[in-house]
Amino acid sequence: MTQVKKTKKTASRRGRPSKPRKPKFAKIKVQLPKGVHDILPEEQAYWEKFRTIVSQVAKNYGFQRIDVPIFEDIRLYQKGTGLSTDIVQKEIYTIKTRGEEILALRPEFTPGIVRAYIEHGMKNLPQPVKLFTTGSLFRHDKPQAGRYRQFNQIDFEIIGDHSGVSDAQIIQVFLTIFRKLGLKKPELFINSIGCSICVPDYKKALLTHYRRDINNLCFDCKKRYKENPLRLLDCKKERCKKLASKAPHVIDFLCDECKNHFKEVLEFLDEMDIAYNLNPYLVRGLDYYTKTVFEIFGQEKGSQSTLVGGGRYDNLVEMFKGKSTPAVGAAAGMERIIEELKKQDVKVVKNDKPRVFIIQLGDLGKKKSLKLFEEFQKNNIKVGEAFSKPSIKSQLRIADKLGSELALILGQKEALENSIIIRDMVSGAQETIPLEKIINEVKKRLKK
Ligand code: AMP
């Protein structure tokens, strides 16, 4: 046997066992990366209500859910969203795979949904195909209020219809969601940016308008002047905004088809009593839009407060080698809408409080309570519990705080006798009944 030499320290403790040493490991402090956020349990009621309303409205208006991957071939966004857009030039998150493929985290839904429409032969389904989705998107933008690097959108698309009725229906869907959420006074701004026949003339007119002041434009607008003059109207810098406010109106350049289409959309909106503001300078930041473009705002009208953005994209399916197919869609930021609801003081009632609460005492009481808890699950009755608390007082306090109407007490005595105490939490009246009768008794009392 090896003799263990006593050290000075252990010897001085006179035979008392030495304290177990704490394991040593390296510690690091971790924090959220910039521009992302947690959605904490107390926030979830808003999200749950929002998602439920979106699914209900989608069903009512005949939209089917689609889920597209979080990452796709980067060319989908370069070609679809557009090489000259801020999203692709500055904000896209890329992933280089081991096979040297370049993928991108989705910065928006439309290109992925259009890809799925083509890839799954949805042109063979009855047209139009009406799809919706919700989920996270990623843009490496400068984080600020209402602008995140990971955020969530709801997205609705109607693919395969050229009529203005689809543009109006997409707008209507979002307004219905807002009404059901209780969001007050959403304001719609709308414009038409024409098609590949009429927009070139408008672009020429814009270039002429800006030519004299080209040196006064901001760095980005100098690039836009060369690459995508429509986006000059979208700039948020004061000096560029001033120039934009005197620019020619696109509406004066629309071809007959685009003019009639826009007229048709506005007539449908009038018919549906949807108020709108015409904004001749609304162009939206993405390359694929044709004809109708629109935005919906809440109380604030700044660039960080657009709640919904959308429009028609009649060329996108064809751009991805699909058959020429007209389409229209829009997306709304969930975070921004929830923030708007809070600003407008719209409360969401949480309806997840258990009306019944199990209280247990002693080992046997706890064991039987676990079993009883499962019985309630099978009967679809929500019950509260505090299995980790040993005292009846603290458990009753929790039941009271949760607003439970009935407390079911299973102590050592009751567990041995196969009985249970049922306590009315309002009157304090108690009754002991056989354990096997408790589910029916609770059902009876909850019905009253
Ligand atoms: P877009 O896809 O850029 O047309 O945006 C549609 C909607 O998504 C906007 O109106 C916002 O509500 C929301 N949104 C866009 N970008 C962000 C962002 N970085 N953070 C939070 N919400 C956003």
Side-chain angles (χ1 to χ4, degrees), residues 82-91 203 206-207 210 213-235 237 239-240 287:
L83 266 179
S84 68
T85 58
D86 284 354
I87 291 185
V88 169
Q89 284 198 351
K90 302 182 191 165
E91 298 166 9
K203 281 185 184 167
L206 269 185
L207 293 178
Y210 278 95
D213 295 291
I214 192 160
N215 292 328
N216 294 329
L217 294 173
C218 71
F219 176 78
D220 282 339
C221 278
K222 281 187 183 134
K223 264 173 81 183
R224 288 174 186 143
Y225 183 87
K226 287 193 192 125
E227 293 170 4
N228 191 352
L230 271 194
R231 301 252 3 258
L232 287 163
L233 301 174
D234 219 15
C235 186
K237 304 251 167 44
R239 55 195 161 137
C240 303
D287 273 5

Side-chain angles (χ1 to χ4, degrees), residues 359-361 389-397:
I359 291 172
Q360 39 72 37
L361 279 170
K389 299 264 185 274
S391 98
I392 188 163
K393 215 165 147 194
S394 56
Q395 292 179 69
L396 272 171
R397 207 177 303 128

Side-chain angles (χ1 to χ4, degrees), residues 108 139 146-148 151 153 284 306-309 331-333 336:
E108 56 148 345
R139 295 184 192 171
R147 196 167 281 282
Y148 302 97
F151 59 99
Q153 276 187 348
R284 309 271 310 126
T306 331
L307 301 181
V308 186
R336 282 199 199 164

Side-chain angles (χ1 to χ4, degrees), residues 37 43 45-51 53-54 133-134 145-148 151-156 170-171 173-187 294-300 304-309 330-348:
H37 63 105
E43 296 273 300
Y46 280 99
W47 289 82
E48 217 174 297
K49 180 169 177 187
F50 201 166
R51 290 193 188 105
I53 288 176
V54 168
T133 195
T134 62
R147 196 167 281 282
Y148 302 97
F151 59 99
N152 291 275
Q153 276 187 348
I154 54 173
D155 182 279
F156 283 77
I170 287 279
I171 292 170
V173 161
F174 282 92
L175 293 175
T176 304
I177 291 171
F178 286 172
R179 180 170 46 76
K180 288 189 177 247
L181 277 170
L183 191 134
K184 291 173 238 61
K185 295 195 182 155
E187 227 182 311
F294 64 88
E295 288 180 341
I296 304 177
F297 287 83
Q299 279 169 346
E300 279 172 39
Q304 249 69 266
S305 39
T306 331
L307 301 181
V308 186
M334 296 183 81
E335 282 82 357
R336 282 199 199 164
I337 290 167
I338 289 172
E339 279 155 28
E340 180 74 15
L341 287 172
K342 287 182 189 164
K343 258 190 237 159
Q344 294 192 6
D345 212 20
V346 178
K347 299 267 184 304
V348 177

Side-chain angles (χ1 to χ4, degrees), residues 160-215:
D161 183 37
H162 63 78
S163 157
V165 77
S166 288
D167 309 43
Q169 190 177 64
I170 287 279
I171 292 170
Q172 174 74 302
V173 161
F174 282 92
L175 293 175
T176 304
I177 291 171
F178 286 172
R179 180 170 46 76
K180 288 189 177 247
L181 277 170
L183 191 134
K184 291 173 238 61
K185 295 195 182 155
E187 227 182 311
L188 168 66
F189 292 80
I190 193 163
N191 192 21
S192 170
I193 54 166
C195 65
S196 52
I197 294 172
C198 48
V199 84
D201 282 344
Y202 179 58
K203 281 185 184 167
K204 267 189 220 152
L206 269 185
L207 293 178
T208 312
H209 168 74
Y210 278 95
R211 192 164 296 136
R212 273 184 286 137
D213 295 291
I214 192 160
N215 292 328

